[in-house]
Amino acid sequence: MDAGFVALFRHHAWATDQLLAACESLPPDHLEWVTQGTYGGLGATLRHLVEAEERYVSRLRGDTARPGQAPNEPDPPMPPEALAPSVRVLRRRAQASAEALIELAAGYAPDAILDTTFRGAPVTLPAIVIFAQALDHGCEHRTQVRHALTILGYEPPDIAALAWDDAINGRTEDAADPHA
């Protein structure tokens, strides 16, 4: 795929890392907090986000065994206390899967076809569908986490593409905004 496509995954990786970094120091009761209309507890949503991404990587690599508790199935909402890995561990796992997605995005042909499984059934689909799902899924749950952080009284990190561009180009909030 082209450099622009790979850049989408670089932003995706950065945004998820920024959000997980912001959540590392949250107290346990805040990780257990559930916001109506979201996946589940804040910690369970983070866990789901990371485990789903690991499954996307697995599918794109052609692995038959999927990581996570429920191969080929969405993670069931877990009680918040089931957040077995800490946010710090989730962050390391997210970094590894993000690096893999970037590498895979760089190496895939735009018209590549995958034979994989979904919800236990074999499917054949364009690889781009899995890549698009990874971006869409990540964005959806990062938005839910940002919403929960706001309701809890935290200022969530700015993970917009413009903030990413500023970060990778060394611009600070004190500098004039070139995007205005």
Side-chain angles (χ1 to χ4, degrees):
M1 305 264 187
D2 68 18
F5 186 71
V6 173
L8 292 173
F9 284 92
R10 292 189 189 286
H11 168 258
H12 173 76
W14 174 85
T16 298
D17 187 64
Q18 294 296 300
L19 201 57
L20 286 164
C23 293
E24 276 186 348
S25 62
L26 294 179
D29 61 318
H30 287 187
L31 288 172
E32 296 173 8
W33 198 72
V34 177
T35 304
Q36 185 176 6
T38 63
Y39 174 80
L42 184 56
T45 302
L46 293 171
R47 184 176 142 264
H48 167 73
L49 173 65
V50 172
E51 289 184 353
E53 189 154 297
E54 290 170 336
R55 286 192 297 276
Y56 300 140
V57 168
S58 178
R59 280 191 174 92
L60 289 163
R61 286 181 172 160
D63 298 340
T64 54
R66 305 274 186 263
Q69 288 185 304
N72 301 315
E73 293 291 333
D75 299 324
M78 300 292 262
E81 54 278 2
L83 179 66
S86 68
V87 175
R88 182 167 289 141
V89 169
L90 288 174
R91 188 176 179 201
R92 284 195 304 266
R93 288 171 54 188
Q95 288 167 342
S97 63
E99 289 172 16
L101 275 174
I102 290 166
E103 181 181 317
L104 288 161
Y108 257 88
D111 58 352
I113 301 293
L114 292 175
D115 290 312
T116 186
T117 57
F118 183 70
R119 295 190 175 141
V123 295
T124 299
L125 67 159
I128 195 76
V129 171
I130 301 297
F131 284 114
Q133 176 63 23
L135 292 173
D136 183 55
H137 184 263
C139 184
E140 177 180 349
H141 290 301
R142 286 191 304 264
T143 299
Q144 291 177 356
V145 170
R146 291 184 81 243
H147 177 67
L149 288 172
T150 300
I151 290 173
L152 284 166
Y154 298 99
E155 178 70 30
D158 183 356
I159 56 174
L162 293 174
W164 169 69
D165 183 62
D166 287 345
I168 64 172
N169 287 299
R171 291 188 291 269
T172 65
E173 289 181 14
D174 298 331
D177 183 0
H179 308 293

